[in-house]
């Protein structure tokens, strides 16, 4: 069966360090992968999209990598700040057919001052 | 408005009652999605509308759930004979075209069935 796996344990890091979150998937051939941020009581907010033929994407302090061989995406936040504390969701959309993204459960990031 | 608007933001209803949740997507967005998120859980797809095409209802959990989209804009999600397990946040999202590339979420409707 198709699975998207994100670490269910919260990631605790110190301010200024790089946070790295992982998204693994099985039995998917994703056309692209997205990362969203969700704050408590709010809807998810789109951050970055990376396509299957792209290895890396950057936006300000954010970097996403996509390894279709390992079936994994890594999401990095450099120089992390307490304001980065949130839950981060990855979402996949497969090639062809449905335009409906499927979401992982998300990983909570806590950045300590 | 500038973003996806959902109402009500909070709803408490008695078991067995019907509820309607409304979504007003971003103007010009042809695709509209409903997801459900239970406490501590991921987003569960419910239904997808794209333009004038027949909606993809494959995520609706039972026939108590239905949705419509009038005039290609506002959507209403209806839950009949609510059950306690229906308690969740119901999130609506829209996107510019039927590509799913970037979807914009509303803040959700928090439903509590007592």
């Amino acid at each position: 069966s198709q699975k998207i796996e994100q670490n269910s344990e919260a990631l605790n890091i110190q301010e200024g360090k790089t946070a790295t979150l992982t998204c693994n998937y099985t039995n998917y051939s994703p056309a692209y992968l997205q990362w969203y941020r969700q704050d408590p009581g709010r809807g998810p907010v789109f951050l970055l999209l990376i396509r299957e033929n792209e290895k890396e994407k950057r936006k300000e302090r954010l970097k996403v990598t996509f390894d279709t061989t390992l079936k994994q995406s890594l999401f990095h936040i450099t120089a992390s700040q307490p304001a980065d504390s949130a839950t981060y969701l990855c979402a996949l959309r497969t090639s062809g057919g449905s335009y409906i993204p499927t979401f992982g459960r998300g990983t909570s990031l806590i950045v300590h001052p | 408005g500038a973003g996806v608007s959902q109402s009500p933001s909070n709803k408490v209803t008695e078991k067995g009652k019907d509820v309607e949740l409304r979504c007003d997507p971003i103007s010009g967005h042809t695709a509209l999605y409903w997801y459900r998120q239970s406490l501590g859980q991921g987003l569960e797809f419910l239904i997808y509308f794209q333009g004038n095409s027949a909606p993809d209802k494959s995520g609706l959990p039972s026939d108590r759930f239905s949705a419509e989209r009038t005039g290609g804009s506002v959507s209403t999600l209806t839950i009949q004979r609510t059950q306690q397990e229906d308690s969740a946040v119901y999130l609506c999202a829209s996107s510019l075209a039927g590509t799913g590339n970037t979807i914009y979420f509303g803040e959700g409707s928090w439903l509590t069935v007592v």
Side-chain angles (χ1 to χ4, degrees):
Chain A
S1 63
Q2 295 178 322
K3 279 187 183 178
I4 301 171
E5 293 180 342
Q6 296 186 255
N7 198 336
S8 58
E9 286 186 20
L11 176 64
N12 286 272
I13 64 167
Q14 210 60 37
E15 182 176 9
K17 301 291 186 185
T18 297
T20 298
L21 304 173
T22 305
C23 177
N24 294 301
Y25 58 92
T26 54
N27 296 323
Y28 272 103
S29 295
Y32 59 75
L33 187 147
Q34 301 170 317
W35 284 89
Y36 289 78
R37 169 182 173 142
Q38 186 173 25
D39 291 283
R42 310 295 298 275
V45 175
F46 170 77
L47 295 175
L48 278 170
L49 175 151
I50 187 164
R51 291 184 167 79
E52 59 182 332
N53 60 350
E54 297 176 318
K55 296 291 186 188
E56 183 179 297
K57 208 70 167 294
R58 291 176 185 259
K59 179 182 175 183
E60 298 172 353
R61 294 185 296 110
L62 309 181
K63 184 178 86 171
V64 172
T65 62
F66 194 9
D67 189 326
T68 53
T69 301
L70 289 179
K71 298 187 184 299
Q72 180 182 80
S73 174
L74 299 178
F75 176 78
H76 306 272
I77 306 175
T78 58
S80 60
Q81 306 165 359
D84 295 327
S85 300
T87 296
Y88 291 86
L89 308 170
C90 72
L92 300 181
R93 207 215 87 187
T94 55
S95 306
S98 170
Y99 292 121
I100 303 162
T102 302
F103 285 80
R105 290 192 172 190
T107 298
S108 175
L109 171 66
I110 303 168
V111 181
H112 299 275
Chain B
V4 176
S5 177
Q6 292 189 245
S7 61
S9 54
N10 282 284
K11 175 76 176 178
V12 180
T13 191
E14 291 181 351
K15 178 181 170 182
K17 300 282 190 185
D18 297 353
V19 296
E20 284 190 351
L21 307 176
R22 176 188 166 104
C23 174
D24 201 342
I26 294 172
S27 178
H29 281 194
T30 57
L32 187 146
Y33 309 76
W34 282 98
Y35 286 84
R36 177 170 74 173
Q37 188 174 33
S38 303
L39 194 62
Q41 301 298 309
L43 274 70
E44 175 189 3
F45 165 71
L46 296 177
I47 189 168
Y48 165 68
F49 296 89
Q50 167 50 31
N52 294 321
S53 303
D56 183 332
K57 304 179 182 181
S58 60
L60 293 178
S62 77
D63 59 7
R64 295 187 296 105
F65 288 73
S66 63
E68 62 177 22
R69 188 178 185 192
T70 53
S73 182
V74 171
S75 176
T76 303
L77 177 70
T78 302
I79 309 172
Q80 295 179 309
R81 304 180 302 282
T82 52
Q83 304 294 314
Q84 287 184 329
E85 61 262 29
D86 299 334
S87 297
V89 179
Y90 290 81
L91 290 160
C92 177
S94 68
S95 67
L96 189 58
T99 63
N101 279 355
T102 300
I103 61 176
Y104 298 86
F105 283 87
E107 300 292 20
S109 290
W110 292 68
L111 174 66
T112 303
V113 182
V114 296

